[in-house]
Amino acid sequence: MYKMSNNPTSKFQDVPWKHRFFSSMIGFAVNFSRRSDGTINRYIMNLFDFKAPPSQQPFDGVKTSDTVVDATRNLYFRLFLPSLNQDDDVPVIVYFHGGGFAYLSASSIPCDDFCRRLCKKTGAVIISVNYRLAPEHKYPSQYDDGFDVLKFIDDNANAKNLPLNVNLKQCFIAGDSAGGNLAHHVAVKACEYGLRNVKLIGLIAIQPFFGGEERTESGTRIVDAPMISVKGTDWLWKAFLPEGSDRNHPACNVFGPKSVDDISRLKFPATMVVVGGFDPMHDWQIRYYEGLKKCGKEACLIEYPHAFHTFYGVPELKETCLLMEAVKGFMERLIN
């Protein structure tokens, strides 16, 4: 069995300098923008959160456009369209970006870049959701936004902004970090609601953001990880969860002592859980996978022992290439 190292920064040295510089800059902005009263200085954060505009002309084989769902809450999605043969039956991925429920957007450069690469690799249409952020908008705002976009797609299955060859019966829901948490909870709401035109056949949770009151082995051992820390995740959970809640709230600790959703009774989609050995949340992600299995749900675990949190944002890493292949294989298996 692989024995994890105590030095997660060693793998981070393999990251090209431009990505390390950008990560350091974002980390500085996140830390500097947090106020002592639990709020975020959005002006400072926005100085470092560079945005990518939609591109009607193909860029790296992918076109993008934005569709507004509800302007009053800045709820929209960015549509990524691959260069395809119009006769193809194209699957869909409804995607939720990471950022601890408090940072980034569908148009942030790291999110736009990852969805563009995912679109090109899988050949799927990507619907990247821009949801409201904490602490200005606490739980369950993000879940409501995600589900409302899913309903919007279901109610507008023949909308002209979706390509004619898109197959909503081959729909996947996915997300990274906090977006992985979102994907799970939105999938639960969708299963309970009963969509008419959209059929969720798979869930892709990339290093999903889960937690609890307990201090796990990985959270205690991995103290110098790039991008994220236990202290940082504690702050994010406090910013997101309802006032007076602890980290055993079911939004955070899905299968914990306060869990309210019995997914064993639901037709929950097959789930791919991706974890990294240098991620402080590793143990909570493993527990999520184990919880799905205990509920009798189809789930597969993809583990990269040397991967740090948000490794997939670096295209040059071997693990990122392996992840893209794994996602493509997971989708093809469920479609075929």
Side-chain angles (χ1 to χ4, degrees):
M1 177 179 255
Y2 175 80
K3 184 177 180 180
M4 294 183 201
S5 167
N6 288 321
N7 184 19
T9 55
S10 61
K11 182 62 179 178
F12 198 55
Q13 301 308 311
D14 296 339
V15 175
W17 72 267
K18 64 178 181 179
H19 289 289
R20 277 187 281 153
F21 174 77
F22 185 77
S23 297
S24 298
M25 186 174 63
I26 290 293
F28 169 80
V30 166
N31 291 327
F32 195 61
S33 66
R34 290 176 182 169
R35 298 189 179 105
S36 58
D37 63 357
T39 61
I40 294 173
N41 187 323
R42 292 294 176 192
Y43 175 78
I44 290 177
M45 188 62 211
N46 289 336
L47 293 176
F48 296 88
D49 183 12
F50 302 115
K51 302 294 197 294
S55 55
Q56 292 290 346
Q57 296 300 316
F59 175 70
D60 201 19
V62 177
K63 294 192 299 183
T64 61
S65 62
D66 292 344
T67 298
V68 176
V69 176
D70 185 349
T72 64
R73 44 182 162 146
N74 195 29
L75 179 60
Y76 71 89
F77 60 84
R78 177 156 292 184
L79 189 70
F80 294 78
L81 299 177
S83 298
L84 297 167
N85 182 321
Q86 290 301 308
D87 295 329
D88 288 343
D89 209 22
V90 186
V92 182
I93 301 175
V94 178
Y95 197 87
F96 301 102
H97 67 81
F101 302 108
Y103 295 99
L104 304 179
S105 70
S107 62
S108 295
I109 285 180
C111 308
D112 181 90
D113 176 69
F114 180 74
C115 285
R116 189 177 298 273
R117 288 187 282 119
L118 186 63
C119 176
K120 184 178 180 181
K121 181 64 179 181
T122 62
V125 167
I126 310 290
I127 295 172
S128 179
V129 180
N130 190 75
Y131 52 85
R132 287 171 292 177
L133 300 177
E136 296 89 341
H137 304 282
K138 287 180 172 287
Y139 166 94
S141 299
Q142 293 76 5
Y143 299 162
D144 292 342
D145 289 352
F147 183 57
D148 285 349
V149 168
L150 203 57
K151 285 197 297 182
F152 178 87
I153 298 164
D154 192 58
D155 293 338
N156 298 274
N158 298 315
K160 61 182 180 180
N161 57 316
L162 293 177
L164 295 176
N165 56 345
V166 71
N167 188 346
L168 295 178
K169 301 300 182 184
Q170 296 177 356
C171 185
F172 294 79
I173 191 165
D176 67 280
S177 194
N181 176 303
L182 257 166
H184 169 84
H185 287 285
V186 171
V188 171
K189 288 170 73 75
C191 291
E192 293 174 336
Y193 178 80
L195 301 169
R196 294 173 299 154
N197 298 302
V198 173
K199 181 180 179 182
L200 296 180
I201 64 172
L203 190 157
I204 303 162
I206 304 172
Q207 294 183 294
F209 186 31
F210 294 116
E213 283 296 299
E214 179 188 344
R215 293 304 189 197
T216 63
E217 191 275 338
S218 64
T220 303
R221 172 174 50 82
I222 305 173
V223 294
D224 294 318
M227 300 307 296
I228 200 163
S229 66
V230 171
K231 182 179 179 181
T233 59
D234 285 353
W235 192 97
L236 290 168
W237 285 123
K238 187 174 181 180
F240 170 66
L241 294 172
E243 294 292 340
S245 299
D246 63 22
R247 293 188 304 275
N248 280 332
H249 187 283
C252 176
N253 194 348
V254 176
F255 298 113
K258 299 179 182 179
S259 177
V260 293
D261 292 321
D262 178 15
I263 67 168
S264 61
R265 61 184 173 82
L266 301 176
K267 193 174 181 180
F268 198 77
T271 303
M272 171 181 170
V273 184
V274 179
V275 304
F278 288 154
D279 187 344
M281 293 184 291
H282 170 276
D283 293 355
W284 287 112
Q285 294 156 2
I286 294 293
R287 290 187 188 185
Y288 172 63
Y289 162 76
E290 292 172 344
L292 292 172
K293 299 290 284 186
K294 288 179 181 177
C295 288
K297 302 306 170 186
E298 180 182 349
C300 64
L301 180 68
I302 307 293
E303 185 163 9
Y304 301 113
H306 298 284
F308 53 86
H309 197 72
T310 70
F311 72 92
Y312 41 84
V314 185
E316 295 85 351
L317 288 177
K318 176 184 69 175
E319 289 87 349
T320 302
C321 298
L322 293 173
L323 170 64
M324 289 293 186
E325 291 292 343
V327 171
K328 183 180 179 182
F330 176 74
M331 293 178 63
E332 288 176 346
R333 179 175 65 82
L334 292 178
I335 290 171
N336 296 328

